[in-house]
Amino acid sequence: MKIRNILMAGAAIVSLTACNDYLDVDAPSKQDNNSVFTKKSEINTALNGVYAQLLSGNLYGNALINTFVMNSDVEFKTYSNELSTDNSYRRFDCTSQGSDIKKTWDDAYKGIEYANNFIYQLEHSPLYQEGDSDLVQQMGEAKVMRAMLYHDIMWLFGDVPFSFEPTSVTKGTVLPIVSRDTINARLIADLEAIAPKMKFAANLTDGVERVSKEFCWSMIARIALTAGGYSLRPDLNAPNNHGTMARPDNYKQLYETAMNYCDSVIKSGTHHLGKTYQQVFVDECNYKVANGDDPIFEIPFAYNSTSSVGYIHGPKSELNSGTTSGKNIWGEASSSAALNAFYRFLFDDKDLRRDYVIGLWGYLYDGTPNINRGYTTYNNKWSKLWANVNTNPQSSGNTGINFPYMRYADVLLMYAEAANEVKGGPTAEAKAAVKQVRARAFGGNDAEKVEAYVDAAASKEDFLKVVLDERRLEFAGENMRWKDLVRNNKYAEELYWTFLRYIGAAQNAGTGTTYLEAVEQHDGLTPGRYENDMPYSLFYRIADNPVDPSKYTNTTLDVLELYNPYHGQYYDEGEKKWKAIQIPADDANTPTNRRWQNGDFYNWWNADAATPKNECLYSLYGFIRGEADQFFLVNNDGTTIPMPEPNELNVNALPVVRYILPYPNAVIQRSAGQYKNYYGYNN
């Protein structure tokens, strides 16, 4: 692949590579079916063709980091209509007619076909048969990318059509639907066979923009952990039933596989958490990729032509007559990959990730900061506004910012989760893995927040909660949270509490609520934190930029000064009651546009109808929904049942979450009746 430049940091010899300008691509399927690769150059070109498939906006360029990131207590998209639509994926009630489903299905299988073709032709190449180490490495790269694509479409569709052979061999026959258990076993065995022959990222010219040995190990671990966890299984005898959550009988063996391969990555010493959390993602926004740090594999997007990373994230940047002006030279940002409004309250006040990731303001076209009054917050992990003035992407949706598909932090936490299951409780090594991630989040080895916090989790159940809570805080916007919950059969439970957060906050702004106290207890917050301490009105004013990237990444645009954004009131110990915070008075000489203003938050009560706003009622519509003051769960047969009150909740009796998507209708039609939708979808 072609690399734009190599950056050197001071006198230290640190290999940093910029994202690829373009990929010189060619699909092996374009060649004669009987041809074989006879030159390394044509093999490399064909491999680039496989990489190029990952860049599609219907896959990792957008859809798999936005469209198909299901709603949870981390990532969230609101809906204001109770009517079902073909494309309402994130609230679990789409249809097989959804256009985005077909686009992602088609592009995933296109990528698999490119990989299958490459692997088939390379296997028949005399150069490969001679055992050339470079070609063996390239074989591994193609196999890992094929595994990525299969892994991610199984998360969306469950059991899927499967083959390791290209269409030139299968002759265009309809591929059979194969159980995810069988596919996962084939993928793991395929990668286990090639992994020992692959090279570490440090020995690859393009570093972590290429598939490496440690990424192959990490991918085996991710597949094994997924395969060993719970997933929604269809009722083959009742297609209209939403299905059953189950995991395979050999789940402990799969968890052991995940543990061992994570351990291989850890013991290899090839990756560390050296940079600050913030710097990892700011560097990605500035096209710097460092070998040996947190990222293990970054999808190598092309500058200004692929990737919506940093356009769908970060502060919203609005246009006027199709452009921006004044200080805002960065152009438009949609900021559509938003976060749950209550996510920010789940962080410890000392956690450095919170104030970096949570975005509470965006920008008007001229660069004036503008408070976000919506039902979600911005995800500031990436942003085109974080790019240096000389390299900022001018195009709207095509930033070229890499996406870190696999990080070392993920490997550490996968190891901890797997070891906890295999050993029946936390080991010293598992605790040490979690502590590495938390130490970075708290700026060092904080005795209370790192050592004591992790060590306090003595049981298997308590330590699993510590691991899952850490993953919740670490991976915002990386399409992890709903998968973590599914794998541990906790998705329905957490969506129940997510619904109560929104409904409870809305009711509290209206006639009062009975829910927030129970939510506080579930979230481990101080009693009264949500009900009495939540800032329904947030005070803010425009302030000069601190010109300190550790405080705010963009050192050019103005910022907002927020008055106590995480606490709306305070508890007066003397008077024994909650009291409103007094905002400091503005100086008489303060310019009007820089005086304290009031932004309404969480005031989501429809006073005229005396009900919560629709966004609170319908954003989880396919699982839980509301009508005035009545709330319902969607049962496994599609009917609704009354929502249990928190004191009556039996998490084991909750309906399943229908997160599995239907096969596209066009695909079913092409199969001539061989494919059939389950999970309550009509073909």
Side-chain angles (χ1 to χ4, degrees):
M1 288 187 280
K2 303 186 183 298
I3 301 298
R4 189 187 305 107
N5 53 31
I6 297 177
L7 305 176
M8 301 296 291
I13 307 300
V14 181
S15 177
L16 296 171
T17 62
C19 305
N20 301 284
D21 283 325
Y22 62 91
L23 295 174
D24 183 16
V25 304
D26 187 22
S29 57
K30 294 179 182 178
Q31 305 179 31
D32 183 88
N33 287 338
N34 296 319
S35 70
V36 293
F37 296 139
T38 58
K39 296 179 180 178
K40 278 192 171 184
S41 59
E42 68 181 16
I43 294 172
N44 189 66
T45 299
L47 180 62
N48 288 347
V50 182
Y51 274 96
Q53 305 316 303
L54 306 182
L55 312 188
S56 166
N58 298 318
L59 295 172
Y60 304 104
N62 190 326
L64 296 182
I65 57 173
N66 190 14
T67 307
F68 299 119
V69 179
M70 307 307 177
N71 276 355
S72 72
D73 51 352
V74 178
E75 294 93 357
F76 207 77
K77 174 182 172 64
T78 58
Y79 291 82
S80 60
N81 198 317
E82 64 179 317
L83 298 177
S84 296
T85 68
D86 293 338
N87 298 302
S88 52
Y89 316 107
R90 296 179 62 160
R91 70 175 195 172
F92 322 111
D93 71 332
C94 66
T95 75
S96 62
Q97 301 287 348
S99 58
D100 293 309
I101 293 178
K102 184 177 184 301
K103 291 174 185 176
T104 293
W105 177 285
D106 287 348
D107 278 14
Y109 276 100
K110 180 182 176 183
I112 290 168
E113 171 66 9
Y114 267 69
N116 281 343
N117 263 301
F118 178 86
I119 292 165
Y120 177 82
Q121 293 216 36
L122 186 56
E123 285 174 337
H124 291 80
S125 168
L127 292 176
Y128 178 75
Q129 293 169 3
E130 292 172 0
D132 184 286
S133 62
D134 292 334
L135 298 185
V136 172
Q137 164 66 25
Q138 292 183 330
M139 175 67 80
E141 293 177 46
K143 288 190 170 189
V144 174
M145 286 187 280
R146 177 172 66 182
M148 285 174 58
L149 291 163
Y150 270 127
H151 174 74
D152 290 324
I153 62 169
M154 283 192 291
W155 264 115
L156 298 181
F157 300 103
D159 304 330
V160 295
F162 174 74
S163 176
F164 273 173
E165 295 178 327
T167 54
S168 60
V169 175
T170 61
K171 304 300 182 184
T173 58
V174 177
L175 297 178
I177 300 292
V178 178
S179 162
R180 68 202 73 175
D181 298 324
T182 300
I183 297 174
N184 283 324
R186 289 284 305 276
L187 295 176
I188 290 170
D190 192 45
L191 298 188
E192 285 184 321
I194 197 68
K197 306 170 187 177
M198 296 183 68
K199 300 177 182 180
F200 289 113
N203 297 324
L204 297 174
T205 303
D206 303 334
V208 297
E209 287 187 315
R210 291 291 284 261
V211 172
S212 63
K213 180 194 289 281
E214 58 264 52
F215 177 43
C216 185
W217 284 339
S218 304
M219 199 66 214
I220 295 171
R222 180 177 285 180
I223 294 170
L225 199 63
T226 299
Y230 286 88
S231 63
L232 185 59
R233 309 291 178 126
D235 185 337
L236 300 180
N237 297 315
N240 289 326
N241 190 287
H242 288 181
T244 305
M245 293 296 290
R247 62 181 178 182
D249 293 337
N250 67 333
Y251 71 91
K252 277 201 172 181
Q253 179 184 341
L254 289 161
Y255 271 69
E256 187 170 7
T257 297
M259 178 185 72
N260 290 338
Y261 278 97
C262 287
D263 189 52
S264 294
V265 178
I266 294 168
K267 288 181 177 176
S268 73
T270 57
H271 289 270
H272 306 87
L273 302 183
K275 296 181 182 180
T276 65
Y277 184 81
Q278 176 179 355
Q279 198 62 49
V280 170
F281 306 105
V282 170
D283 279 354
E284 287 171 346
C285 295
N286 284 280
Y287 313 101
K288 299 176 183 178
V289 183
N291 292 329
D293 205 82
D294 193 0
I296 290 177
F297 176 64
E298 293 190 356
I299 296 175
F301 289 109
Y303 179 70
N304 264 2
S305 62
T306 56
S307 174
S308 290
V309 177
Y311 171 76
I312 59 175
H313 308 95
K316 185 176 180 62
S317 181
E318 299 179 355
L319 298 176
N320 181 40
S321 300
T323 187
T324 56
S325 63
K327 290 183 178 181
N328 189 359
I329 64 168
W330 282 268
E332 182 185 27
S334 72
S335 307
S336 57
L339 299 175
N340 191 300
F342 299 89
Y343 178 52
R344 60 193 176 119
F345 294 100
L346 302 178
F347 287 85
D348 187 281
D349 285 345
K350 293 184 178 180
D351 193 325
L352 300 177
R353 292 171 296 196
R354 183 189 69 182
D355 291 343
Y356 170 62
V357 170
I358 303 301
L360 298 177
W361 72 83
Y363 290 94
L364 302 178
Y365 72 93
D366 62 354
T368 300
N370 186 35
I371 196 75
N372 174 13
R373 300 172 187 264
Y375 300 89
T376 56
T377 66
Y378 301 136
N379 178 2
N380 283 0
K381 182 171 282 186
W382 302 276
S383 176
K384 63 189 298 183
L385 276 64
W386 304 162
N388 292 328
V389 172
N390 295 329
T391 60
N392 70 289
Q394 296 293 335
S395 59
S396 292
N398 297 316
T399 64
I401 296 171
N402 281 0
F403 179 75
Y405 183 84
M406 184 70 72
R407 295 202 280 121
Y408 186 56
D410 191 10
V411 171
L412 290 168
L413 294 175
M414 284 195 293
Y415 174 82
E417 181 179 341
N420 186 55
E421 183 66 45
V422 172
K423 305 297 184 181
T427 64
E429 293 80 7
K431 287 186 174 183
V434 178
K435 289 175 183 178
Q436 283 192 58
V437 179
R438 279 188 74 80
R440 180 176 64 174
F442 287 88
N445 289 314
D446 186 304
E448 177 188 357
K449 303 299 183 181
V450 178
E451 297 291 331
Y453 171 84
V454 176
D455 289 339
S459 70
K460 177 183 174 183
E461 293 73 21
D462 287 347
F463 188 69
L464 177 61
K465 184 180 187 306
V466 164
V467 173
L468 293 181
D469 285 352
E470 201 61 38
R471 293 185 65 86
R472 175 172 64 182
L473 303 175
E474 179 73 16
F475 297 115
E478 297 182 53
N479 202 0
M480 297 279 199
R481 179 58 173 169
W482 68 275
K483 297 174 183 176
D484 293 343
L485 293 171
V486 166
R487 184 175 66 249
N488 288 281
N489 200 18
K490 295 180 180 293
Y491 199 15
E493 178 184 357
E494 283 307 315
L495 287 184
Y496 172 89
W497 293 108
T498 294
F499 183 78
L500 290 194
R501 289 187 193 100
Y502 274 86
I503 288 295
Q507 289 180 334
N508 199 43
T511 58
T513 185
T514 60
Y515 294 132
L516 288 184
E517 182 178 349
V519 176
E520 289 163 353
Q521 184 175 356
H522 173 77
D523 291 347
L525 299 179
T526 303
R529 176 70 184 272
Y530 280 148
E531 187 170 5
N532 300 303
D533 195 25
M534 184 178 290
Y536 285 90
S537 292
L538 184 64
F539 289 86
Y540 66 94
R541 63 181 175 186
I542 297 176
D544 292 332
N545 194 303
V547 197
D548 181 351
S550 68
K551 294 182 179 178
Y552 189 65
T553 309
N554 186 304
T555 58
T556 299
L557 296 173
D558 286 336
V559 300
L560 290 185
E561 180 181 355
L562 307 176
Y563 194 85
N564 212 358
Y566 300 97
H567 305 276
Q569 303 183 45
Y570 73 98
Y571 190 73
D572 189 310
E573 292 289 350
E575 298 186 28
K576 303 298 181 185
K577 66 179 182 180
W578 292 89
K579 300 174 70 174
I581 290 175
Q582 299 299 310
I583 305 303
D586 285 306
D587 185 274
N589 297 321
T590 302
T592 301
N593 69 337
R594 298 215 163 197
R595 295 188 175 186
W596 287 105
Q597 302 178 61
N598 184 319
D600 290 335
F601 275 72
Y602 305 106
N603 191 17
W604 303 334
W605 183 255
N606 187 335
D608 293 336
T611 64
K613 293 288 184 68
N614 286 356
E615 287 81 357
C616 301
L617 295 171
Y618 303 142
S619 293
L620 298 169
Y621 191 81
F623 174 71
I624 187 169
R625 63 184 72 158
E627 295 177 5
D629 60 350
Q630 294 181 303
F631 310 119
F632 304 92
L633 291 167
V634 178
N635 212 355
N636 293 356
D637 61 0
T639 61
T640 58
I641 57 176
M643 182 194 80
E645 294 298 309
N647 62 343
E648 301 171 345
L649 178 64
N650 176 3
V651 296
N652 296 319
L654 287 171
V656 300
V657 181
R658 188 174 63 159
Y659 70 88
I660 294 283
L661 303 177
Y663 301 144
N665 183 263
V667 172
I668 290 179
Q669 298 302 317
R670 287 202 306 264
S671 76
Q674 294 188 49
Y675 298 168
K676 182 178 181 178
N677 267 323
Y678 294 89
Y679 309 104
Y681 295 111
N682 294 321
N683 291 338

